[in-house]
Amino acid sequence: MFKQCPAIMKRELFYMWRDKGLRNILLIGPLLGLFLFMGIYSHPRIDHITTAVVDLDQSEASRQVIAELRNTQDLEIACYPENFKQLEELVKRGEVMVGVVIPENYAKNIALQRQTRVAVVIDGANITYATNAASAVLTVTRNLGAQVGVKTLIARGIQPNQAKEAYQSIEFREEAWFNPTLNYAYFLVLALVLNIWQQCCMLASCMNIVGENGVRSWLQIKASGLSAFKLFCSKSIVHISVFMLLVLPVYYLAFVIFKLPLNCGIITFLLFTLIFAVSLHSLGTLISSFSSNAVDASRFGMVIALPSFVISGFTWPIAAMPQWFQPLAWVLPQTWFFQGINYFVLKNPGWEMMNRYFLVLGMMAVLCYSLSALFTHCFQARFR
């Protein structure tokens, strides 16, 4: 029954290899992305954020604030502007990301136990810098606040040890789980590379049916007595096999050479990648089945593949998206894949939770392949 399948698979593999543009995209794209992103995110965290300090008080107390700022690794004092206007110009030109303005009478207000405000300006044009800078400044302000509070209690006659215990009776200790060092590479690199991979796979799968949608092609298929099922089943096996072969060196480099974390078994992760590859290919096949030509199929595929990473909730939580949009995000297989990657790579919550990811991706594949078969059947009926 399937004697013709090896010949069809060989034919499809030849066509994929003959297409130089597609071949280079599939072979080079994911690997190039891996080296690029590993280079970009090789430093585990953002530190030494350029900071400017405007000291309008010039007192021992203000110098203590500057010392605390120097002691944090995340901030690096680059200059000391004389006034707020100079600080504003430095931030506008991007020469500093953080500005700290210590007001006049800072030491006097502290001594008199008055509330005093130290202005902290953070360049919000770069969200990544701004988030890290805000966290670093918060740490410094906590330390300074604790020191001033303890000194105030001591001034009121309380013993130093008692003052410290009274002011710091509750200690909040932060602890990051699953990515303790908050390493950007652990969180982003693999997902960004697999995003390139899925776009390349989508581009290839969108050619599955539309490549045969010519009168000459269908007449040849009809004359050979080959069923459409065997034809596209054989073609799909080749595509999915190529997709998996292309991702293997990416995984080897990511987990073995670059030591990115993988908290589940490699077999489980490969099976998850396989079910996603099948689901993604089914979506591309569906697009291919109703597209009028290869150009349109590629356009439809890229319209879905390009924004799917952002829609997936990996970089911006789905819960923070508009409520009407949230159900739409879960329609795409990419959403289930990238959400699952985060669980598998960093957490591995177990099969009881993750089996629904396999199930949904499998159901998506069945649905898309079924619709593709229906559209293809209608198209093929024209040549009977």
Side-chain angles (χ1 to χ4, degrees):
M1 178 181 178
F2 292 98
K3 291 182 179 179
Q4 295 168 305
C5 290
I8 300 170
M9 294 167 69
K10 183 178 180 181
R11 165 183 173 265
E12 185 64 20
L13 191 60
F14 170 74
Y15 283 158
M16 292 183 71
W17 183 260
R18 187 181 64 177
D19 189 335
K20 186 177 180 180
L22 180 62
R23 182 181 73 214
N24 291 338
I25 290 174
L26 290 173
L27 291 175
I28 300 174
L31 290 175
L32 182 61
L34 178 61
F35 286 106
L36 175 64
F37 294 130
M38 278 304 303
I40 293 173
Y41 296 101
S42 58
H43 196 67
R45 56 179 295 175
I46 297 176
D47 52 17
H48 300 293
I49 301 171
T50 52
T51 305
V53 178
V54 180
D55 187 358
L56 299 177
D57 193 50
Q58 298 293 328
S59 64
E60 183 64 31
S62 66
R63 285 190 285 273
Q64 184 181 358
V65 175
I66 296 173
E68 288 289 336
L69 291 171
R70 280 205 196 97
N71 288 336
T72 177
Q73 180 183 356
D74 296 329
L75 303 176
E76 181 178 1
I77 299 178
C79 57
Y80 297 88
E82 294 181 359
N83 51 55
F84 190 85
K85 184 66 176 178
Q86 291 182 7
L87 172 63
E88 185 179 14
E89 289 300 319
L90 290 171
V91 175
K92 281 183 178 180
R93 295 199 298 265
E95 295 181 20
V96 297
M97 302 300 298
V98 178
V100 178
V101 182
I102 305 173
E104 295 177 347
N105 298 321
Y106 172 80
K108 181 179 178 180
N109 290 334
I110 293 297
L112 296 175
Q113 301 175 18
R114 295 174 181 171
Q115 186 179 33
T116 185
R117 294 184 179 181
V118 176
V120 178
V121 179
I122 297 175
D123 185 357
N126 188 313
I127 298 299
T128 305
Y129 266 117
T131 303
N132 285 268
S135 177
V137 171
L138 180 61
T139 302
V140 173
T141 56
R142 282 177 179 173
N143 293 336
L144 285 171
Q147 292 173 17
V148 172
V150 170
K151 289 179 179 179
T152 300
L153 293 177
I154 292 174
R156 292 178 180 177
I158 300 176
Q159 293 295 321
N161 291 338
Q162 293 177 335
K164 187 175 181 180
E165 290 178 3
Y167 194 83
Q168 299 178 341
S169 58
I170 300 176
E171 180 183 2
F172 292 92
R173 181 173 298 176
E174 298 175 357
E175 182 179 352
W177 289 6
F178 309 116
N179 188 4
T181 60
L182 301 180
N183 192 324
Y184 278 91
Y186 289 174
F187 174 67
L188 278 177
V189 168
L190 184 63
L192 290 172
V193 174
L194 290 177
N195 180 42
I196 295 176
W197 171 76
Q198 69 91 10
Q199 291 181 32
C200 296
C201 294
M202 175 66 84
L203 184 63
S205 60
C206 284
M207 298 298 106
N208 193 22
I209 292 177
V210 76
E212 307 290 348
N213 277 356
V215 175
R216 182 178 178 182
S217 178
W218 279 111
L219 291 176
Q220 288 177 344
I221 294 170
K222 183 178 179 181
S224 66
L226 182 66
S227 68
F229 172 78
K230 284 195 289 185
L231 173 67
F232 292 113
C233 182
S234 302
K235 285 164 63 73
S236 299
I237 290 173
V238 171
H239 290 178
I240 295 168
S241 299
V242 169
F243 298 166
M244 292 303 296
L245 287 174
L246 292 174
V247 85
L248 288 178
V250 171
Y251 284 169
Y252 177 79
L253 289 170
F255 300 131
V256 179
I257 304 300
F258 295 127
K259 306 295 183 182
L260 294 181
L262 180 63
N263 283 301
C264 70
I266 185 62
I267 300 300
T268 303
F269 196 64
L270 285 173
L271 288 175
F272 183 61
T273 307
L274 175 61
I275 192 66
F276 170 68
V278 173
S279 181
L280 185 70
H281 183 268
S282 71
L283 179 59
T285 300
L286 176 59
I287 293 171
S288 183
S289 67
F290 63 71
S291 299
S292 57
N293 53 62
V295 175
D296 284 348
S298 300
R299 288 171 177 169
F300 288 137
M302 288 299 100
V303 164
I304 293 175
L306 286 173
S308 62
F309 183 66
V310 177
I311 296 172
S312 72
F314 197 91
T315 57
W316 185 256
I318 294 178
M321 298 178 187
Q323 280 194 334
W324 63 267
F325 186 80
Q326 293 177 21
L328 298 177
W330 292 103
V331 171
L332 296 176
Q334 288 93 333
T335 299
W336 293 89
F337 180 61
F338 288 114
Q339 290 285 330
I341 283 176
N342 198 28
Y343 283 113
F344 275 123
V345 170
L346 296 175
K347 299 180 179 180
N348 191 22
W351 176 252
E352 289 185 4
M353 175 181 173
M354 299 308 298
N355 60 4
R356 67 190 181 106
Y357 285 78
F358 284 84
L359 180 61
V360 171
L361 288 172
M363 292 173 61
M364 286 182 175
V366 172
L367 177 62
C368 290
Y369 279 135
S370 299
L371 291 174
S372 303
L374 178 62
F375 287 132
T376 305
H377 176 76
C378 295
F379 186 90
Q380 190 181 19
R382 302 178 189 177
F383 302 97
R384 290 178 180 172

